[in-house]
Amino acid sequence: EIEMTQSPATLSVSPGERATLSCRASQSVSSSLAWYQQKPGQAPRLLIYGASSRATDIPARFSGGGSGTEFTLTIDSLQSEDFAVYYCQQYHNWLPYTFGQGTKVEIK
Amino acid sequence: QLQQWGAGLLKPSETLSLTCGVYGGSFGDHYWSWIRQPPGKGLEWIGEINHIGRINYNPSLESRLTISIDTSKTQFSLKLTSVTAADTAVYYCARLTQQMVHWYFDLWGRGSLVTVS
């Protein structure tokens, strides 16, 4: 099973600033990585797949990068609706698909 | 759209049973998954099934799991036997979509809180 580790656990950012979240895989997952956003009481929402491809209707301020074992999610000019928990997920080894433990982006 | 339902309160050793209805879209073009989230914790993939009944389970849960599908009703179901408090979680059904070499969960149900106590 591939273990996904996200850092930091909590990121405090002011509105309008940039947030950079990290995700590390315990072994290479190539570019088979997705990012999800989850707000309290809601299901996760797909943001990024293929490490860097934005999902449908996702604003351009969300961007993903990386390959192999190191990945980042960058949120430019944070909006109030972006404060949430973000999860990375690998699908390179699909038995099982595995998620990181999440990074909470909170208002500074 | 995915709508899910099932019992929300179970006693230890009972069987968890949830169903997810798929409304709209192409039922046959995707895998259909179950994912759970213990309170305050992260996400755990449980298993998946497609329209011809091909199933994949998380090895950590496989011995207690049954995922089934009813294509006539465009529904799929989850059964987890011998539940304990560790199975307390919000359970989500989700659509797994393939685009070339990429697979992603792009549609989710609203979640069902299942408490074992």
Side-chain angles (χ1 to χ4, degrees):
Chain A
E1 175 173 321
I2 296 178
E3 184 175 342
M4 307 301 292
T5 303
Q6 292 185 240
S7 61
T10 303
L11 187 60
S12 299
V13 185
S14 299
E17 291 187 340
R18 170 183 289 181
T20 301
L21 289 64
S22 295
C23 175
R24 173 177 292 177
S26 60
Q27 63 189 76
S28 177
V29 298
S30 185
S31 62
S32 301
L33 186 105
W35 289 94
Y36 299 84
Q37 176 194 66
Q38 187 179 34
K39 297 180 180 179
Q42 296 184 18
R45 176 176 72 143
L46 175 69
L47 298 176
I48 300 284
Y49 64 92
S52 61
S53 297
R54 271 189 303 276
T56 303
D57 295 331
I58 300 303
R61 64 180 182 274
F62 291 91
S63 61
S67 66
T69 61
E70 300 283 345
F71 300 88
T72 57
L73 174 69
T74 301
I75 313 171
D76 285 320
S77 188
L78 269 158
Q79 307 296 302
S80 58
E81 62 266 30
D82 300 335
F83 293 96
V85 179
Y86 293 83
Y87 293 95
C88 61
Q89 175 242 327
Q90 66 83 22
Y91 49 89
H92 185 69
N93 276 14
W94 48 271
L95 268 183
Y97 304 106
T98 48
F99 294 83
Q101 79 280 19
T103 290
K104 181 180 181 181
V105 177
E106 65 176 22
I107 300 175
K108 186 174 182 180
Chain B
Q1 186 180 18
L2 303 181
Q3 291 185 9
Q4 54 185 107
W5 61 90
L9 181 61
L10 298 172
K11 293 181 168 56
S13 80
E14 292 185 334
T15 296
L16 180 157
S17 182
L18 295 171
T19 298
C20 184
V22 180
Y23 304 99
S26 176
F27 192 65
D29 288 345
H30 306 274
Y31 269 83
W32 304 95
S33 285
W34 291 98
I35 295 165
R36 70 180 182 179
Q37 185 173 36
K41 297 188 178 181
L43 300 158
E44 179 181 31
W45 176 76
I46 297 170
E48 65 188 11
I49 190 168
N50 71 359
H51 72 289
I52 58 172
R54 183 170 181 175
I55 301 170
N56 296 301
Y57 292 143
N58 189 323
S60 69
L61 296 168
E62 186 168 7
S63 63
R64 298 192 290 134
L65 263 182
T66 302
I67 294 177
S68 58
I69 197 163
D70 185 336
T71 54
S72 66
K73 296 181 179 178
T74 61
Q75 294 175 357
F76 61 106
S77 298
L78 167 70
K79 290 190 188 299
L80 182 67
T81 62
S82 304
V83 297
T84 69
D87 296 310
T88 294
V90 175
Y91 286 75
Y92 294 100
C93 56
R95 183 177 74 182
L96 182 65
T97 293
Q98 180 185 14
Q99 183 173 348
M100 299 180 71
V101 297
H102 299 297
W103 295 80
Y104 43 79
F105 300 104
D106 64 343
L107 184 65
W108 297 65
R110 298 183 69 172
S112 298
L113 175 60
V114 177
T115 302
V116 181
S117 178

